[in-house]
Amino acid sequence: NVIKVTSLADTGTGTLRSCVSQTMPRACVFEVSGRIKLASDLIVAAPDLIVVGQTAPSPGIMVTNGGFTIETHDVRIEHLAIRPGDESTGTTPASRRAVTVSGTSASNVMLKNLSMSWGVDSNMNTVGGVDKVTVKNCIIAESLWHSIHPSGARGNGALVSEKARNVIFNGTLLAANMDRNIRWKYDTRGEMINNVI
């Protein structure tokens, strides 16, 4: 099913959140361009999702004040700028990231041609036993240092958590992060191919 995103609002008919939250196989295409300011993360709980950012008119789509939390399989997100930022509203600062891939149900996830920056905790994380996560031709940069995180200074790039399998970073730029370019925790398996750090 092709679902058209016709609104830059956070919630309601025609929004990205509405498309992401559907339960049927779906492709989110854009008839608008500009900034989507989130009140909380976009939770991807149902599988078979493609977010096709390249369909947006110029200058494209920028998601701010939060990002995506992917908790399921067969998800592809491409051609978006995701900048969580340090505004007072949005996803809780303790977990404000561009993308979080979380849990044992999260598998076969492709993140392609994304610009992930200005994360408060970090720009991109996996959490738990994810499998088959590919980050391809992305930018992971300029995570925020000494920002609004409750634990103080962060500034992290990408973290691959315990028990993750088949996590691949390919053709990606990691720049201007204070740490985690990329940090692999214990009991993880993956590859780094042709990246620039």
Side-chain angles (χ1 to χ4, degrees):
N1 299 290
V2 175
I3 300 176
K4 295 179 180 180
V5 177
T6 57
S7 170
L8 296 174
D10 176 49
T11 61
T13 303
T15 61
L16 178 58
R17 188 180 299 277
S18 175
C19 180
V20 165
S21 65
Q22 299 295 317
T23 58
M24 80 283 258
R26 64 235 180 262
C28 305
V29 300
F30 294 86
E31 293 192 342
V32 292
S33 65
R35 177 184 181 185
I36 299 174
K37 187 175 178 179
L38 302 177
S40 60
D41 269 7
L42 298 165
I43 307 298
V44 184
D48 302 308
L49 168 70
I50 304 174
V51 177
V52 196
Q54 62 267 41
T55 59
S58 180
I61 295 293
M62 181 168 65
V63 176
T64 68
N65 295 58
F68 289 85
T69 296
I70 301 166
E71 302 173 341
T72 188
H73 59 88
D74 296 295
V75 175
R76 184 181 182 110
I77 301 173
E78 40 183 65
H79 291 272
L80 298 175
I82 311 171
R83 302 198 184 343
D86 59 358
E87 291 191 26
S88 58
T89 60
T91 301
T92 176
S95 57
R96 195 179 296 183
R97 310 175 185 111
V99 176
T100 302
V101 185
S102 180
T104 55
S105 296
S107 66
N108 197 26
V109 173
M110 169 68 77
L111 307 173
K112 185 177 180 185
N113 294 104
L114 300 178
S115 172
M116 297 181 269
S117 61
W118 301 358
V120 174
D121 175 64
S122 58
N123 282 321
M124 188 253 166
N125 274 22
T126 74
V127 178
V130 304
D131 187 28
K132 299 188 181 98
V133 177
T134 301
V135 182
K136 185 172 183 179
N137 299 339
C138 291
I139 298 171
I140 301 174
E142 295 184 355
S143 54
L144 299 181
W145 177 249
H146 280 294
S147 181
I148 58 173
H149 196 285
S151 298
R154 305 297 281 185
N156 298 315
L159 172 69
V160 181
S161 265
E162 301 92 334
K163 301 188 184 304
R165 296 290 184 266
N166 304 302
V167 179
I168 299 171
F169 291 85
N170 184 4
T172 288
L173 169 67
L174 294 106
N177 304 300
M178 291 298 292
D179 193 7
R180 299 181 182 175
N181 288 304
I182 303 154
R183 180 173 292 177
W184 300 80
K185 295 192 81 173
Y186 62 88
D187 192 19
T188 56
R189 297 176 191 166
E191 299 176 68
M192 298 172 65
I193 306 165
N194 295 331
N195 302 291
V196 175
I197 299 173

